[in-house]
Amino acid sequence: MRFPPLLLLAIHRAVAASLASLWAYIVLGASVIVVEEVAPVLAGFAAHQNHLPVVRTVLALALGGWFAALAPYWVGRYGASALLRRFPRVRDAAAPFTDIVARRPWRAGLFSRFLFGARTLIPLACGTAHVRRVPFLVGSAISAAVWATLYFVLGWISGDAVLLMLGHIRRHEKLIALVLALIVLLIMLIVQRRNRGHITEELEGHGS
C-alpha cells in the first residue's frame, strides 16, 4: 500500500526538477537580450566545464536571440504608430532602414543577429515596413540559430585554450568566466560602435 504515495512523491520530484530546469533555460535565453554575445560565450565555457548540456543550451540561446528579433518586429508591425509618437528618436533611428528592409526582406531576416549596433532597429524597421512574415520569421530563426551556435563554440574553444595554458581550471573558472565576459563585452561594444555607419551597406549587400 506504500507504492502509490512513493510513486506520487517520485512524480512530484520529477516535475519539480523539470520545472526548475525549464526556468533555468528560460533565464538563459532571456539573458541574450541583456548581455548579447556574452551569454553564448559564457554558456559555451560552462558547457566545456560540464555545467550545461550542449544541445538544450544552444537551443535556449537560439530561442532567446530569436525572441529578441521577434519582439521589436511585432511592435513595429502592430504598435508602431503609438510607439513612434512616444519615442521620436527611435522613429528617426529606424526610418533610414525601412525602405531597404522592404526591398531585401530575406537579407534583413538572415542578418538580423549579425547587424551589430542595429539589432533592435532592423526588426523594428521590418515590422514598420510590413515585411512579410515568412521571410522575417524564417530568416531571423536561422540567424539566431547560427549566431547562438557560433558564439557557443567560441566559448567552448576558449575553455580548451585555457585548459591548455593552465591545466585543470576548476578552482579558477569563476574568475576566468568573469574575465572572459569582460573581454567579450568590450569587443562587442567596440564592434557595435564601429559598425553603426556601415549597416545600410550591409543590408544592401554592397561589397558582397
Side-chain angles (χ1 to χ4, degrees), residues 76-167:
R77 192 174 182 93
Y78 295 109
S81 57
L83 175 71
L84 297 182
R85 281 197 304 269
R86 187 176 181 86
F87 301 101
R89 289 186 179 181
V90 177
R91 175 197 61 204
D92 295 340
F97 306 122
T98 52
D99 290 338
I100 303 173
V101 298
R103 293 196 307 270
R104 296 181 175 272
W106 278 106
R107 191 176 185 88
L110 289 169
F111 279 58
S112 58
R113 286 305 301 168
F114 295 95
L115 291 169
F116 299 99
R119 285 180 177 154
T120 301
L121 293 176
I122 294 304
L124 181 64
C126 288
T128 304
H130 287 267
V131 168
R132 289 179 294 119
R133 294 181 185 88
V134 171
F136 185 80
L137 295 181
V138 175
S140 59
I142 295 172
S143 182
V146 173
W147 174 86
T149 303
L150 177 65
Y151 285 98
F152 180 89
V153 171
L154 181 62
W156 183 282
I157 292 173
S158 69
D160 276 334
V162 172
L163 189 62
L164 287 173
M165 290 187 294
L166 300 181

Side-chain angles (χ1 to χ4, degrees), residues 52 59 116:
L52 293 171
L59 180 59
F116 299 99

